């Protein structure tokens, strides 16, 4: 089987120690030749400076292609435009345009800033007005927690594409069918942009389960059983995590998927071991 194309996601550091860990991870993962590396934007825009600095450093000190996440939470249109303009001026050409989670927490009602953009669609439109960015957006193969239906999910995705989104990156999922069903339905809805599956490694079982609950990611029984109690046995957990990830990617490759977005959790080892098992 040919090697998959990877993109890698990192989050900005919030301490000196985390900064070192992030850079070590980026340097170790460079070898995978990622198509782009994305840097998240903290809840409520809380990492604006740190995201900016990380993206800048990637641009200045590596040959990697950075993609900067941006959200419209708690920010006016002018503030979002300013950040986008700064990115354009410094040479960033890839943006991940998002609405962001409500400041009051996932699952609560999103209330836009009174002078702000309402959703990701409007952020995409703003980005494309400022520069000829490649704009990635989100998609949710098990639907967004606020979405009433998958139908609505496709309508939102189509709006984002109409405003200029060039590819979409998926929320993480466990079973290959979850992504494949979404992809088939997307084709039926006339969606033609690349839909990159989001691949999340099991770093810690408790962390994974917490995220799955918040993100509407279904945990099948076999998965829960496979990882039950594994936080007490890190060596075995790592083995099972790698096997699970490789099985997922391989199953998707068999169905023609070539591009994958890996959530690295800023931990190079998780991604590197899996990549090695995939033939890198
Ligand atoms: P949107 O695409 O705008 O849609 C989310 C929901 O809002 C829709 O499902 C729908 O219910 C509603 N909606 C949107 N448009 C309309 C409309 N026109 N009419 C009616 N309802 C509408 N969060 C961060 O804070 N920082 C990050 O860096 C970050 N990175 C992410 C990366 C990926 C790949 C993914 C999948 C998610 C990421 N998130 C991030 C989380 C994301 O911000 C949240 O899931 C958020 O709640 C929704 O943002 P969105 O861009 O998907 O919103």
């Amino acid at each position: 089987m040919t090697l998959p194309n990877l993109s890698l996601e990192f989050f900005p550091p919030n301490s000196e120690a985390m900064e070192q860990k992030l850079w070590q991870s980026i340097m170790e993962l460079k070898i995978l030749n990622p198509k782009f590396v994305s840097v998240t934007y903290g809840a409520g825009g809380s990492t604006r400076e740190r995201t900016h600095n990380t993206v800048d450093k990637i641009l200045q000190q590596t040959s990697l292609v950075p993609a900067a996440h941006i959200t419209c939470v708690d920010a006016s249109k002018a503030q979002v435009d300013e950040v986008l303009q700064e990115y354009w001026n410094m040479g960033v050409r890839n943006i991940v345009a998002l609405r962001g989670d409500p400041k009051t927490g996932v699952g609560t009602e999103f209330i836009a800033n009174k002078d702000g953009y309402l959703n990701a669609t409007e952020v995409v439109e703003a980005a494309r007005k400022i520069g000829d960015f490649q704009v990635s957006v989100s998609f949710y193969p098990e639907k967004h927690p606020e979405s009433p239906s998958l139908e609505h999910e496709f309508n939102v995705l189509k709006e984002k594409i109409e405003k200029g989104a060039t590819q979409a990156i998926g929320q993480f999922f466990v079973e290959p069918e979850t992504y494949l069903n979404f992809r088939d339905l997307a084709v039926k809805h006339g969606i033609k942009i690349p839909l990159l599956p989001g691949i999340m490694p099991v770093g810690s079982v408790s962390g994974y389960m917490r995220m799955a609950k918040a993100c509407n990611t279904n945990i099948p029984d076999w998965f829960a059983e496979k990882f039950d109690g594994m936080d007490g046995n890190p060596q075995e957990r790592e083995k099972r995590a790698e096997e699970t990830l490789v099985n997922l990617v391989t199953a998707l490759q068999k169905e023609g998927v070539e591009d994958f977005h890996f959530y690295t959790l800023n931990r190079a080892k998780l991604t590197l071991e899996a990549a090695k098992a995939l033939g890198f």
Side-chain angles (χ1 to χ4, degrees), residues 35-36 38 65-70 84 87-88 91-98 123-124 127-137 160 163-169 193-194 196:
K35 276 187 150 177
F36 64 92
S38 80
V65 175
H69 291 220
I70 183 162
L84 288 165
Y87 280 133
W88 181 262
V92 174
R93 295 293 177 260
N94 291 261
I95 293 288
V96 183
L98 301 144
V123 182
V124 174
R128 293 301 296 248
K129 273 192 192 144
I130 284 169
D132 191 17
F133 287 112
Q134 293 293 311
V135 182
S136 301
V137 290
K160 293 193 275 194
K163 295 298 177 194
T166 47
Q167 70 179 359
I169 305 174
I193 60 166
L196 276 55

Side-chain angles (χ1 to χ4, degrees), residues 10-16 18-19 22-23 39-43 45-58 68-69 87 90 266:
F10 297 95
F11 57 87
N14 61 9
S15 67
E16 189 63 32
M18 295 267 286
E19 160 111 26
L22 169 69
W23 277 98
V39 183
T40 63
Y41 205 69
S46 57
T47 65
R48 175 177 164 166
E49 285 298 311
R50 284 184 274 128
T51 302
H52 179 283
N53 294 345
T54 306
V55 168
D56 191 34
K57 199 165 163 187
I58 291 172
H69 291 220
Y87 280 133
M90 66 201 246
N266 290 7

Side-chain angles (χ1 to χ4, degrees), residues 40-266:
T40 63
Y41 205 69
S46 57
T47 65
R48 175 177 164 166
E49 285 298 311
R50 284 184 274 128
T51 302
H52 179 283
N53 294 345
T54 306
V55 168
D56 191 34
K57 199 165 163 187
I58 291 172
L59 204 58
Q60 301 301 329
Q61 300 189 14
T62 74
S63 56
L64 297 166
V65 175
H69 291 220
I70 183 162
T71 75
C72 58
V73 179
D74 209 21
S76 66
K77 290 179 184 172
Q79 285 168 326
V80 172
D81 290 356
E82 188 188 318
V83 177
L84 288 165
Q85 188 65 56
E86 275 172 24
Y87 280 133
W88 181 262
N89 294 347
M90 66 201 246
V92 174
R93 295 293 177 260
N94 291 261
I95 293 288
V96 183
L98 301 144
R99 183 198 72 181
D101 282 321
K103 255 178 82 182
T104 40
V106 181
T108 63
E109 191 191 353
F110 179 84
I111 298 170
N113 179 287
K114 79 175 169 41
D115 302 313
Y117 294 116
L118 293 178
N119 50 42
T121 307
E122 294 195 355
V123 182
V124 174
E125 194 176 13
R128 293 301 296 248
K129 273 192 192 144
I130 284 169
D132 191 17
F133 287 112
Q134 293 293 311
V135 182
S136 301
V137 290
S138 63
F139 73 92
Y140 300 85
E142 295 173 89
K143 78 184 185 61
H144 185 272
E146 289 168 41
S147 243
S149 64
L150 259 187
E151 196 60 29
H152 175 82
E153 204 63 49
F154 288 116
N155 290 338
V156 170
L157 186 52
K158 273 161 67 177
E159 279 179 11
K160 293 193 275 194
I161 297 168
E162 273 162 28
K163 295 298 177 194
T166 47
Q167 70 179 359
I169 305 174
Q171 185 58 276
F172 76 104
F173 56 94
V174 175
E175 309 260 32
E177 294 74 25
T178 305
Y179 169 84
L180 296 170
N181 291 339
F182 187 90
R183 185 185 66 169
D184 290 350
L185 284 171
V187 171
K188 287 196 182 125
H189 281 82
I191 291 169
K192 296 198 178 86
I193 60 166
L195 301 173
L196 276 55
I199 307 293
M200 179 75 76
V202 182
S204 84
V205 182
S206 55
Y208 190 97
M209 295 301 183
R210 221 179 13 253
M211 268 192 291
K213 194 161 177 238
C215 297
N216 214 24
T217 296
N218 178 50
I219 300 292
D221 289 346
W222 67 262
F223 186 96
E225 280 160 25
K226 185 168 184 172
F227 286 100
D228 187 30
M230 283 298 129
D231 275 347
N233 186 351
Q235 224 176 341
E236 182 60 26
R237 180 189 63 208
E238 276 178 27
K239 210 174 107 199
R240 293 182 185 199
E242 181 188 312
E243 181 189 67
T244 307
L245 195 150
V246 170
N247 287 346
L248 176 59
V249 171
T250 314
L252 292 172
Q253 280 185 294
K254 283 188 185 140
E255 297 297 327
V257 183
E258 295 174 352
D259 293 345
F260 296 83
H261 188 74
F262 274 34
Y263 296 101
T264 68
L265 308 173
N266 290 7

